[in-house]
Amino acid sequence: MLIKKEPDIPSSQITPKRLYLNRRKFLAGTAVTGLAAAAGMRLSEFNSPEASVQANAKIEGIQKSSFSTTEKITPYKDVTNYNNYYEFSTDKYGPAGLAKDFKTRPWTVTIDGLVPKKQVVDVDTIVKWATPEERIYRHRCVEGWSIVVPWVGFSLSELVKRAEPLGKAKFVEFTTIYSPNQMPGLKVPVLDWPYVEGLRLDEAMHPLATLCFGMYGEVLPNQDGAPLRIVVPWKYGFKSAKAIVRVRFTDRQPLNSWNKSAPDEYGFYSNVNPNVDHPRWSQAKERRLGEFLKRPTLMFNGYDQVASLYSGMDLKKNF
Ligand code: MTE
């Protein structure tokens, strides 16, 4: 997600060399020492999942989802120590430590725009709107790495239904928190803050699109988007906005942050598509964190059930 403009640079140069070398070690499964150092931890602490995140409460009454993949789940320590969360840091090993004391309560979400009535809802009310489900999804980052995560949440459609969007609402925009006192990355103008994402309303209503508040059976760690994020498994990871404070219904296509900063590189749709290269690298393959060999990337990240949302559209133009 770094906005360096030189054409045809190898992916090894997209990320600063120090991080790239770290990542290579990490991907080979041998970066424990580097990670522990980056997070300011002793090696023994690193082996405990609680070391880099606050003790996370168990979520009760989770049901299994039929949408889950049976693929191997990525270890918790990898998913919670290798994050894209630019409000904290552009260093993927940074958010785990920097988000440790991030305040996720009290927290409200404003639901407004083309709705009959603006609502300001407490997050603890929202999470009770439906039965929590464990949804084990593939998650593909635009940078070429992927993970398999047991998210906990329910269909985003539950929120949309409660908002009762007006007939002319065609899109939904998600705005994430802007809290400069808590988020050191906001001092860096990598993006035009706050982080904004958007979906077409029918995409948001698709049962796979998830309103997420947990992972691995527990409350979401701060670095993974607590207290509330979306997860859109057929799209590149950047569509899955973290720490949402506003959901706005609109008749115009929202201008999402990455599209605003580099329109040639990051589109509005951002469906996972091995046939459409990023201008600076191929999207044909991906590396699962912890694995050495790359695997082919699948159209819609393997979630073929969303294909009908895009019938008749040129997905090369609407990337
Ligand atoms: N949401 C916010 N608010 N800020 C971010 O920087 N990064 C995005 C997305 N959501 C991001 C965000 C990107 S690029 C990815 S790949 C995923 O979060 C990463 O989610 P993860 O750290 O839980 O794997």
Side-chain angles (χ1 to χ4, degrees):
M1 305 301 294
L2 295 182
I3 317 166
K4 198 172 160 186
K5 290 287 184 190
E6 292 88 336
D8 302 318
I9 51 170
S11 62
S12 60
Q13 288 169 24
I14 292 160
T15 308
K17 193 169 180 201
R18 181 179 62 82
L19 299 181
Y20 164 66
L21 292 174
N22 253 348
R23 176 160 59 181
R24 278 187 47 187
K25 280 198 249 162
F26 177 72
L27 294 170
T30 57
V32 170
T33 316
L35 277 174
M41 290 182 284
R42 292 194 310 273
L43 201 56
S44 57
E45 289 174 322
F46 182 79
N47 292 326
S48 138
E50 287 79 33
S52 56
V53 292
Q54 287 165 333
N56 291 313
K58 280 246 161 311
I59 298 176
E60 301 299 330
I62 302 174
Q63 294 192 349
K64 300 268 176 236
S65 164
S66 56
F67 302 141
S68 288
T69 171
T70 52
E71 283 169 70
K72 187 170 165 259
I73 292 174
T74 306
Y76 179 91
K77 69 170 172 29
D78 296 350
V79 172
T80 56
N81 284 284
Y82 189 81
N83 300 100
N84 270 338
Y85 203 163
Y86 279 14
E87 289 91 327
F88 286 101
S89 172
T90 52
D91 177 344
K92 293 184 196 332
Y93 303 114
L98 293 167
K100 216 157 109 15
D101 299 322
F102 178 64
K103 278 200 172 22
T104 58
R105 296 291 188 286
W107 190 283
T108 56
V109 178
T110 300
I111 302 172
D112 65 353
L114 296 174
V115 291
K117 197 169 150 266
K118 173 179 165 178
Q119 304 179 50
V120 180
V121 195
D122 193 279
V123 69
D124 292 315
T125 303
I126 294 177
V127 302
K128 290 188 204 115
W129 276 349
T131 306
E133 289 177 13
E134 179 173 79
R135 298 179 161 198
I136 308 171
Y137 282 163
R138 291 178 290 277
H139 183 64
R140 166 65 155 86
C141 180
V142 73
E143 295 161 323
W145 52 273
S146 65
I147 47 184
V148 175
V149 185
W151 305 107
V152 179
F154 45 72
S155 287
L156 178 59
S157 62
E158 298 289 346
L159 182 149
V160 176
K161 278 188 249 160
R162 278 172 178 78
E164 298 180 52
L166 304 177
K168 54 187 171 185
K170 296 287 177 265
F171 297 91
V172 53
E173 178 188 82
F174 303 89
T175 304
T176 89
I177 195 169
Y178 179 81
S179 180
N181 293 342
Q182 301 190 85
M183 300 173 127
L186 290 173
K187 292 192 190 79
V188 189
V190 204
L191 291 173
D192 186 7
W193 308 112
Y195 195 99
V196 171
E197 256 311 333
L199 295 171
R200 231 170 47 192
L201 197 51
D202 57 343
E203 295 180 315
M205 289 299 286
H206 194 280
L208 281 175
T210 300
L211 190 64
C212 170
F213 43 87
M215 53 161 54
Y216 300 84
E218 298 174 354
V219 165
L220 209 53
N222 293 344
Q223 65 270 37
D224 286 282
L228 200 67
R229 70 177 293 174
I230 53 167
V231 176
V232 194
W234 69 95
K235 293 182 180 280
Y236 291 117
F238 70 87
K239 297 297 288 181
S240 295
K242 298 174 171 180
I244 290 166
V245 290
R246 184 176 181 201
V247 180
R248 184 174 72 94
F249 293 85
T250 166
D251 52 357
R252 301 223 177 126
Q253 185 173 297
L255 186 53
N256 50 316
S257 298
W258 279 105
N259 182 241
K260 193 172 180 183
S261 74
D264 300 342
E265 304 195 4
Y266 309 108
F268 173 76
Y269 282 95
S270 288
N271 291 317
V272 174
N273 188 344
N275 309 314
V276 177
D277 289 344
H278 183 282
R280 291 184 278 139
W281 59 84
S282 161
Q283 292 292 21
K285 289 189 174 175
E286 68 197 61
R287 197 192 304 274
R288 207 46 62 88
L289 288 196
E291 291 181 8
F292 185 69
L293 293 176
K294 287 188 178 178
R295 58 175 71 213
T297 285
L298 304 174
M299 187 65 205
F300 300 122
N301 204 17
Y303 295 99
D304 295 331
Q305 58 269 58
V306 301
S308 61
L309 292 173
Y310 309 103
S311 56
M313 277 178 72
D314 180 345
L315 295 182
K316 287 206 160 111
K317 262 199 199 149
N318 297 287
F319 60 91

